[in-house]
Amino acid sequence: MTDFLTSRVALGARLRELRTEGGMNGKDFAARLGWQASKISRLELGKQTPSAADLRAWAEAVDRPDVAAELVGRLNGLETRYRTWRRELAGGHRARQEVAIAETARTRMIRGLEVARIPGLFQTAEYARHVFTANATFRETPQDTEDAVRKRLQRQDALYEPGRKFRFLVWEGALHTLVCPRVVMAAQLDRLISLIGLDTVELGIIPFAAQLRRTPAHGFWIYDTRLVIVETINAELWLDDTDSLTLYACAGSRSRSRSAARSPTACPPWSSGGCAAGRGPGPGSRP
């Protein structure tokens, strides 16, 4: 399933949720909108792409005009590789978390590097609560913090599913960055320690004193060998070309070689093909 189809399925699930919360079956809902019942089914199953007008009509029909911006924001993000946070989070953080759940469900191995915060898959509820609140305040997007936290924790169920691998590197600075009260950070660090024994998790810390071949400029996540997601201040990049996948795997491998406190379970290198000369940024270079 492509990224476009995954996002469309997630949008359909959200539409179905809104309808059922309104207490209407598909037939009655179609009659209210003046549509064929088959259209309701196709939209909810992610088999048809709705128009912006369809989504606004849906929101009105379920007596939730407040979610129209969220739904249209999801639609706008279906096909683009460059997704601005203002558009991604037009209806709050929950929608983006649902996309993350769907992406994780179809991935066997996720590799990631974070330089300033704890990876979302490893966050406690209270830590995540502070992260979502701060982001919504900074970007002036809707505060749906509790819904977003519940979805983030739901995504973490994948950590305990046999056959999956989660291999993450965290810059030591992220362990000291206080995006929350100290007591919350202490609990978050305990959570990280508890994950080290999981056979699905490899966690490496890149210490301040490590001699680095390149600076960890920003975080990124690699989904199997098909997708890299990179977050910047104003946007999220979804990259699926071979050059990007190779480059980010190489960056991860170089950072991993300098990390410490990895899981006792040995895992193979991030980049099976190595880092060819010229393929990745060298010491002191900027991406």
Side-chain angles (χ1 to χ4, degrees), residues 194-229:
S194 72
L195 291 173
I196 292 176
L198 289 180
D199 61 4
T200 58
V201 174
E202 177 193 2
L203 176 61
I205 306 299
I206 305 172
F208 287 135
Q211 182 68 51
L212 303 178
R213 297 179 64 187
R214 65 177 303 276
T215 56
H218 58 75
F220 57 86
W221 290 35
I222 306 174
Y223 292 76
D224 288 331
T225 55
R226 60 182 174 76
L227 174 67
V228 180
I229 297 181

CSV table of all heavy atoms in Angstrom, one decimal, residues 194-229:
chain,number,residue,atom,x,y,z
A,194,SER,N,13.6,0.7,31.1
A,194,SER,CA,12.8,-0.5,31.0
A,194,SER,C,12.7,-1.1,29.7
A,194,SER,O,12.4,-2.3,29.5
A,194,SER,CB,11.4,-0.2,31.6
A,194,SER,OG,10.6,0.6,30.7
A,195,LEU,N,12.9,-0.3,28.6
A,195,LEU,CA,12.7,-0.8,27.2
A,195,LEU,C,14.0,-1.5,26.8
A,195,LEU,O,13.9,-2.3,25.8
A,195,LEU,CB,12.5,0.4,26.3
A,195,LEU,CG,11.1,1.1,26.4
A,195,LEU,CD1,11.1,2.3,25.5
A,195,LEU,CD2,10.0,0.1,26.0
A,196,ILE,N,15.1,-1.3,27.4
A,196,ILE,CA,16.3,-1.9,26.9
A,196,ILE,C,16.3,-3.4,26.9
A,196,ILE,O,16.9,-4.1,26.0
A,196,ILE,CB,17.5,-1.4,27.8
A,196,ILE,CG1,17.7,0.1,27.6
A,196,ILE,CG2,18.8,-2.2,27.5
A,196,ILE,CD1,18.8,0.7,28.4
A,197,GLY,N,15.5,-4.0,27.8
A,197,GLY,CA,15.5,-5.5,27.8
A,197,GLY,C,14.5,-6.1,26.8
A,197,GLY,O,14.5,-7.3,26.6
A,198,LEU,N,13.8,-5.3,26.1
A,198,LEU,CA,12.9,-5.9,25.0
A,198,LEU,C,13.6,-6.4,23.8
A,198,LEU,O,14.5,-5.7,23.3
A,198,LEU,CB,11.9,-4.8,24.6
A,198,LEU,CG,10.8,-4.4,25.6
A,198,LEU,CD1,9.9,-3.3,24.9
A,198,LEU,CD2,9.9,-5.6,26.0
A,199,ASP,N,13.3,-7.6,23.3
A,199,ASP,CA,14.0,-8.1,22.2
A,199,ASP,C,13.6,-7.4,20.9
A,199,ASP,O,14.3,-7.6,19.9
A,199,ASP,CB,13.8,-9.6,22.1
A,199,ASP,CG,12.4,-10.0,21.9
A,199,ASP,OD1,11.5,-9.1,21.8
A,199,ASP,OD2,12.1,-11.2,21.9
A,200,THR,N,12.6,-6.6,20.9
A,200,THR,CA,12.2,-5.8,19.7
A,200,THR,C,12.9,-4.5,19.6
A,200,THR,O,12.8,-3.8,18.6
A,200,THR,CB,10.7,-5.6,19.7
A,200,THR,OG1,10.3,-4.9,20.9
A,200,THR,CG2,10.0,-6.9,19.6
A,201,VAL,N,13.6,-4.0,20.7
A,201,VAL,CA,14.1,-2.7,20.8
A,201,VAL,C,15.6,-2.7,20.9
A,201,VAL,O,16.2,-3.4,21.7
A,201,VAL,CB,13.5,-1.9,22.0
A,201,VAL,CG1,14.2,-0.6,22.2
A,201,VAL,CG2,12.0,-1.8,21.8
A,202,GLU,N,16.3,-1.9,20.1
A,202,GLU,CA,17.7,-1.5,20.3
A,202,GLU,C,17.7,0.0,20.5
A,202,GLU,O,17.3,0.8,19.6
A,202,GLU,CB,18.5,-1.9,19.0
A,202,GLU,CG,20.0,-1.5,19.2
A,202,GLU,CD,20.7,-1.6,17.9
A,202,GLU,OE1,20.1,-1.9,16.8
A,202,GLU,OE2,21.9,-1.3,17.9
A,203,LEU,N,18.3,0.4,21.6
A,203,LEU,CA,18.4,1.8,21.9
A,203,LEU,C,19.8,2.2,22.2
A,203,LEU,O,20.5,1.6,23.1
A,203,LEU,CB,17.5,2.1,23.2
A,203,LEU,CG,17.6,3.5,23.7
A,203,LEU,CD1,17.1,4.5,22.7
A,203,LEU,CD2,16.8,3.7,25.0
A,204,GLY,N,20.4,3.1,21.4
A,204,GLY,CA,21.7,3.6,21.6
A,204,GLY,C,21.7,5.0,21.9
A,204,GLY,O,20.9,5.8,21.4
A,205,ILE,N,22.6,5.4,22.8
A,205,ILE,CA,22.8,6.8,23.2
A,205,ILE,C,24.1,7.3,22.7
A,205,ILE,O,25.2,6.7,22.8
A,205,ILE,CB,22.8,7.0,24.8
A,205,ILE,CG1,21.6,6.3,25.4
A,205,ILE,CG2,22.9,8.4,25.1
A,205,ILE,CD1,20.3,6.9,24.9
A,206,ILE,N,24.1,8.4,22.0
A,206,ILE,CA,25.3,9.1,21.4
A,206,ILE,C,25.8,10.0,22.5
A,206,ILE,O,25.2,11.1,22.7
A,206,ILE,CB,25.1,9.8,20.1
A,206,ILE,CG1,24.4,8.8,19.1
A,206,ILE,CG2,26.4,10.4,19.5
A,206,ILE,CD1,23.9,9.5,17.8
A,207,PRO,N,26.9,9.7,23.2
A,207,PRO,CA,27.3,10.6,24.3
A,207,PRO,C,28.0,11.9,23.8
A,207,PRO,O,28.5,12.0,22.7
A,207,PRO,CB,28.4,9.7,25.0
A,207,PRO,CG,28.9,8.8,24.0
A,207,PRO,CD,27.7,8.5,23.0
A,208,PHE,N,27.9,12.9,24.7
A,208,PHE,CA,28.5,14.2,24.4
A,208,PHE,C,30.0,14.0,24.0
A,208,PHE,O,30.5,14.7,23.2
A,208,PHE,CB,28.4,15.1,25.6
A,208,PHE,CG,27.0,15.6,25.9
A,208,PHE,CD1,26.5,15.6,27.2
A,208,PHE,CD2,26.3,16.1,24.9
A,208,PHE,CE1,25.3,16.1,27.4
A,208,PHE,CE2,25.0,16.6,25.1
A,208,PHE,CZ,24.5,16.6,26.4
A,209,ALA,N,30.7,13.1,24.7
A,209,ALA,CA,32.2,13.0,24.5
A,209,ALA,C,32.5,12.2,23.3
A,209,ALA,O,33.7,12.0,23.0
A,209,ALA,CB,32.8,12.3,25.7
A,210,ALA,N,31.6,11.6,22.5
A,210,ALA,CA,31.9,10.8,21.4
A,210,ALA,C,32.6,11.6,20.3
A,210,ALA,O,32.2,12.8,20.0
A,210,ALA,CB,30.6,10.2,20.8
A,211,GLN,N,33.6,11.0,19.6
A,211,GLN,CA,34.2,11.6,18.5
A,211,GLN,C,33.4,11.3,17.2
A,211,GLN,O,33.2,10.2,16.9
A,211,GLN,CB,35.6,11.1,18.3
A,211,GLN,CG,36.4,11.7,17.1
A,211,GLN,CD,36.7,13.2,17.4
A,211,GLN,OE1,37.3,13.5,18.4
A,211,GLN,NE2,36.4,14.0,16.4
A,212,LEU,N,32.8,12.3,16.7
A,212,LEU,CA,31.8,12.1,15.6
A,212,LEU,C,32.4,12.4,14.2
A,212,LEU,O,33.2,13.3,14.0
A,212,LEU,CB,30.6,13.0,15.8
A,212,LEU,CG,29.8,12.9,17.1
A,212,LEU,CD1,28.7,13.9,17.2
A,212,LEU,CD2,29.3,11.5,17.3
A,213,ARG,N,31.9,11.6,13.2
A,213,ARG,CA,32.3,11.8,11.8
A,213,ARG,C,31.4,12.9,11.2
A,213,ARG,O,31.8,13.5,10.2
A,213,ARG,CB,32.2,10.5,11.1
A,213,ARG,CG,33.1,9.4,11.6
A,213,ARG,CD,33.0,8.2,10.8
A,213,ARG,NE,33.4,8.3,9.4
A,213,ARG,CZ,33.2,7.4,8.5
A,213,ARG,NH1,32.6,6.2,8.8
A,213,ARG,NH2,33.5,7.6,7.2
A,214,ARG,N,30.3,13.1,11.8
A,214,ARG,CA,29.4,14.2,11.3
A,214,ARG,C,28.5,14.5,12.5
A,214,ARG,O,28.2,13.7,13.3
A,214,ARG,CB,28.5,13.8,10.1
A,214,ARG,CG,27.5,12.7,10.4
A,214,ARG,CD,26.7,12.3,9.2
A,214,ARG,NE,26.0,13.5,8.7
A,214,ARG,CZ,24.8,13.9,9.2
A,214,ARG,NH1,24.2,13.3,10.2
A,214,ARG,NH2,24.2,15.0,8.7
A,215,THR,N,28.0,15.8,12.5
A,215,THR,CA,27.1,16.2,13.5
A,215,THR,C,25.7,15.7,13.3
A,215,THR,O,25.2,15.8,12.1
A,215,THR,CB,27.1,17.8,13.7
A,215,THR,OG1,26.7,18.3,12.4
A,215,THR,CG2,28.5,18.3,14.0
A,216,PRO,N,25.0,15.3,14.3
A,216,PRO,CA,23.6,14.9,14.1
A,216,PRO,C,22.7,16.1,14.0
A,216,PRO,O,22.2,16.7,15.0
A,216,PRO,CB,23.3,14.1,15.4
A,216,PRO,CG,24.2,14.7,16.4
A,216,PRO,CD,25.4,15.1,15.7
A,217,ALA,N,22.5,16.6,12.8
A,217,ALA,CA,21.8,17.9,12.5
A,217,ALA,C,20.4,17.9,12.9
A,217,ALA,O,19.8,18.9,13.3
A,217,ALA,CB,22.1,18.3,11.1
A,218,HIS,N,19.7,16.8,12.6
A,218,HIS,CA,18.2,16.7,12.8
A,218,HIS,C,17.8,15.3,12.9
A,218,HIS,O,18.6,14.4,12.5
A,218,HIS,CB,17.4,17.4,11.7
A,218,HIS,CG,17.7,16.9,10.4
A,218,HIS,ND1,17.2,15.7,9.9
A,218,HIS,CD2,18.4,17.4,9.3
A,218,HIS,CE1,17.5,15.5,8.7
A,218,HIS,NE2,18.3,16.5,8.3
A,219,GLY,N,16.6,15.0,13.4
A,219,GLY,CA,16.1,13.7,13.6
A,219,GLY,C,15.5,13.2,12.3
A,219,GLY,O,15.2,13.9,11.4
A,220,PHE,N,15.4,11.8,12.2
A,220,PHE,CA,14.8,11.2,11.1
A,220,PHE,C,14.4,9.8,11.4
A,220,PHE,O,15.0,9.2,12.3
A,220,PHE,CB,15.7,11.2,9.8
A,220,PHE,CG,17.0,10.5,10.0
A,220,PHE,CD1,17.1,9.1,9.9
A,220,PHE,CD2,18.1,11.3,10.4
A,220,PHE,CE1,18.4,8.5,10.0
A,220,PHE,CE2,19.4,10.6,10.6
A,220,PHE,CZ,19.5,9.3,10.4
A,221,TRP,N,13.4,9.3,10.7
A,221,TRP,CA,12.9,7.9,10.9
A,221,TRP,C,12.9,7.2,9.6
A,221,TRP,O,12.4,7.7,8.6
A,221,TRP,CB,11.5,7.8,11.5
A,221,TRP,CG,11.4,8.3,13.0
A,221,TRP,CD1,12.1,9.3,13.6
A,221,TRP,CD2,10.5,7.8,14.0
A,221,TRP,NE1,11.8,9.5,14.9
A,221,TRP,CE2,10.8,8.6,15.1
A,221,TRP,CE3,9.5,6.8,14.0
A,221,TRP,CZ2,10.1,8.3,16.3
A,221,TRP,CZ3,8.8,6.6,15.1
A,221,TRP,CH2,9.1,7.3,16.3
A,222,ILE,N,13.4,5.9,9.6
A,222,ILE,CA,13.4,5.1,8.3
A,222,ILE,C,12.5,3.9,8.5
A,222,ILE,O,12.6,3.2,9.5
A,222,ILE,CB,14.8,4.6,8.0
A,222,ILE,CG1,15.8,5.8,8.0
A,222,ILE,CG2,14.8,3.8,6.7
A,222,ILE,CD1,17.3,5.3,7.8
A,223,TYR,N,11.5,3.8,7.6
A,223,TYR,CA,10.5,2.7,7.7
A,223,TYR,C,10.9,1.6,6.7
A,223,TYR,O,10.8,1.9,5.5
A,223,TYR,CB,9.1,3.3,7.4
A,223,TYR,CG,8.6,4.2,8.4
A,223,TYR,CD1,9.0,5.5,8.5
A,223,TYR,CD2,7.6,3.8,9.4
A,223,TYR,CE1,8.6,6.4,9.5
A,223,TYR,CE2,7.1,4.6,10.4
A,223,TYR,CZ,7.6,5.9,10.4
A,223,TYR,OH,7.2,6.7,11.4
A,224,ASP,N,11.3,0.5,7.2
A,224,ASP,CA,11.9,-0.6,6.4
A,224,ASP,C,12.9,0.0,5.4
A,224,ASP,O,13.8,0.7,5.9
A,224,ASP,CB,10.7,-1.3,5.6
A,224,ASP,CG,9.9,-2.2,6.6
A,224,ASP,OD1,10.4,-2.7,7.6
A,224,ASP,OD2,8.7,-2.4,6.3
A,225,THR,N,12.8,-0.3,4.2
A,225,THR,CA,13.7,0.3,3.2
A,225,THR,C,12.9,1.1,2.1
A,225,THR,O,13.3,1.1,1.0
A,225,THR,CB,14.6,-0.8,2.5
A,225,THR,OG1,13.8,-1.8,1.9
A,225,THR,CG2,15.5,-1.4,3.5
A,226,ARG,N,11.8,1.6,2.5
A,226,ARG,CA,10.9,2.2,1.6
A,226,ARG,C,10.6,3.7,1.8
A,226,ARG,O,10.1,4.4,0.9
A,226,ARG,CB,9.6,1.5,1.5
A,226,ARG,CG,8.9,1.5,2.9
A,226,ARG,CD,7.5,0.7,2.8
A,226,ARG,NE,7.0,0.6,4.2
A,226,ARG,CZ,6.3,1.6,4.8
A,226,ARG,NH1,6.2,2.8,4.2
A,226,ARG,NH2,5.9,1.5,6.0
A,227,LEU,N,10.9,4.2,3.1
A,227,LEU,CA,10.4,5.6,3.4
A,227,LEU,C,11.3,6.2,4.5
A,227,LEU,O,11.6,5.5,5.5
A,227,LEU,CB,9.0,5.6,3.9
A,227,LEU,CG,8.4,6.9,4.4
A,227,LEU,CD1,8.3,7.9,3.3
A,227,LEU,CD2,7.0,6.6,5.0
A,228,VAL,N,11.7,7.4,4.3
A,228,VAL,CA,12.3,8.2,5.4
A,228,VAL,C,11.4,9.4,5.7
A,228,VAL,O,10.9,10.1,4.8
A,228,VAL,CB,13.7,8.8,4.9
A,228,VAL,CG1,14.3,9.6,6.1
A,228,VAL,CG2,14.6,7.7,4.5
A,229,ILE,N,11.2,9.7,7.0
A,229,ILE,CA,10.4,10.8,7.4
A,229,ILE,C,11.3,11.7,8.2
A,229,ILE,O,11.9,11.3,9.1
A,229,ILE,CB,9.2,10.4,8.2
A,229,ILE,CG1,8.2,9.6,7.4
A,229,ILE,CG2,8.5,11.7,8.7
A,229,ILE,CD1,6.9,9.2,8.1
